[in-house]
Amino acid sequence: SQQGEEDPQALSIQEGENATMNCSYKTSINNLQWYRQNSGRGLVHLILIRSNEREKHSGRLRVTLDTSKKSSSLLITASRAADTASYFCATLGYGEWNFNKFYFGSGTKLNVKP
Amino acid sequence: DAGITQSPRYKITETGRQVTLMCHQTWSHSYMFWYRQDLGHGLRLIYYSAAADITDKGEVPDGYVVSRSKTENFPLTLESATRSQTSVYFCASSAGQRDGYTFGSGTRLTVV
């Protein structure tokens, strides 16, 4: 399976601390995406990183991709209570122009305590 | 308003009834998707569409029907609802296969 798996499953930190979530996958990918889901809401697209990129930034978010280790990490710096949500990685297999091959992981539930 | 909207937000229906979940997007995105989200199973693709009048099955299509007569609409119909179809349903759209997805707010469906 191409499916990405997030680690840890749950993370609890204090406001102001950094939060790091990891995603591992099994086969070569075209791109990897991170999404956030607030309780009871739809997923929100955060960042897309392509297989030839190693790092991307967006505001307080930093995503890295290590294709040799088949892993990615999402770092949220200076976390806020509003960052409390579940975070999912999603991968599209290399050469797989088929949406059946776009897999979401099971997510990391982040709790930021004020 | 620009965006992707789903309706209804909540729905309770009885076993055996037909129910249709609506999805409308205003970006003219080519691709649209229906996912269901269940505890223990994560997000699973039901059906997707690459353009008007082009649809294809996802991972869990049984018991569902879709249509896409217009680019902006992608309704999902449960032909004869079963309790196992109790779930949260998300519609999403994307401009292309290399782009991120935009999700609707979801429809929480309960089949009793």
Side-chain angles (χ1 to χ4, degrees):
Chain A
S1 167
Q2 178 64 48
Q3 192 168 9
E5 291 296 333
E6 293 89 346
D7 172 64
Q9 289 187 321
L11 181 61
S12 184
I13 59 174
Q14 291 292 140
E15 205 165 29
E17 294 180 340
N18 295 342
T20 300
M21 288 158 270
N22 303 296
C23 172
S24 61
Y25 56 92
K26 296 182 180 178
T27 63
S28 297
I29 59 169
N30 180 282
N31 66 57
L32 185 146
Q33 304 177 31
W34 285 93
Y35 289 81
R36 183 188 74 232
Q37 184 179 32
N38 292 89
S39 181
R41 307 296 295 177
L43 279 73
V44 174
H45 181 253
L46 297 175
I47 287 184
L48 182 153
I49 186 164
R50 303 190 195 285
S51 59
N52 60 351
E53 297 175 311
R54 291 297 168 257
E55 188 171 313
K56 283 190 87 168
H57 296 256
S58 177
R60 293 182 296 111
L61 306 181
R62 173 178 168 247
V63 169
T64 61
L65 179 65
D66 187 334
T67 52
S68 66
K69 295 181 179 178
K70 293 186 172 55
S71 67
S72 173
S73 66
L74 170 67
L75 169 68
I76 304 173
T77 60
S79 63
R80 306 166 182 168
D83 294 327
T84 294
S86 291
Y87 292 81
F88 295 86
C89 69
T91 54
L92 181 64
Y94 184 78
E96 295 280 12
W97 301 125
N98 181 344
F99 287 103
N100 273 315
K101 305 299 183 185
F102 186 64
Y103 294 108
F104 285 87
S106 53
T108 290
K109 189 170 288 189
L110 174 66
N111 179 35
V112 181
K113 294 176 281 187
Chain B
D1 289 339
I4 183 164
T5 55
Q6 291 184 237
S7 62
R9 190 81 171 87
Y10 302 93
K11 176 75 176 178
I12 300 174
T13 192
E14 294 178 338
T15 301
R17 288 195 181 262
Q18 183 181 82
V19 60
T20 296
L21 310 184
M22 305 301 293
C23 179
H24 175 80
Q25 53 107 352
T26 59
W27 292 295
S28 299
H29 281 168
S30 295
Y31 298 91
M32 295 189 76
F33 313 86
W34 275 105
Y35 284 87
R36 59 179 290 176
Q37 187 176 33
D38 307 285
L39 280 173
H41 291 282
L43 278 156
R44 292 182 291 176
L45 181 64
I46 304 170
Y47 269 96
Y48 65 97
S49 169
D53 297 322
I54 300 175
T55 62
D56 207 349
K57 296 177 180 179
E59 181 184 356
V60 288
D62 293 344
Y64 303 96
V65 175
V66 293
S67 62
R68 195 159 177 216
S69 57
K70 293 183 178 181
T71 300
E72 60 267 30
N73 296 323
F74 191 38
L76 175 74
T77 297
L78 286 68
E79 297 181 291
S80 178
T82 65
R83 289 194 178 128
S84 65
Q85 293 177 309
T86 292
S87 185
V88 181
Y89 290 84
F90 288 101
C91 178
S93 71
S94 175
Q97 290 169 321
R98 304 186 189 195
D99 298 302
Y101 287 21
T102 302
F103 280 81
S105 296
T107 294
R108 184 174 293 274
L109 176 68
T110 303
V111 183
V112 298

